[in-house]
Amino acid sequence: MNKSNQRYMLFSLGNPYEMIYLRNVRSGLAVYGKQEPNTSAGIQVLLGQLKAGGQLPVLTD
């Protein structure tokens, strides 16, 4: 996706430790599990209805 210069958003529904294995992601959002309140909040962030907050508890660099 980066090479083709396409816009994208990585939406992780698992745990934040998955992000350790991903490199060069331009834009990502992690929610903690695929339960309805989590996915709903993540979608609202993607649509600009909520502001994302927090910080991953793991290093991704």
Side-chain angles (χ1 to χ4, degrees):
M1 295 294 288
N2 289 347
K3 287 181 181 181
S4 65
N5 207 24
Q6 296 290 318
R7 292 178 61 187
Y8 67 91
M9 166 64 82
L10 174 71
F11 189 24
S12 173
L13 298 174
N15 66 57
Y17 300 99
E18 294 173 341
M19 301 296 271
I20 293 172
Y21 302 106
L22 303 172
R23 300 285 180 229
N24 301 316
V25 173
R26 290 183 183 168
S27 192
L29 176 66
V31 298
Y32 295 86
K34 58 184 177 181
Q35 298 84 357
E36 196 284 324
N38 301 4
T39 55
S40 177
I43 291 168
Q44 287 178 309
V45 168
L46 292 173
L47 294 174
Q49 299 169 350
L50 284 178
K51 185 176 179 180
Q55 184 175 358
L56 287 174
V58 296
L59 297 175
T60 58
D61 296 3

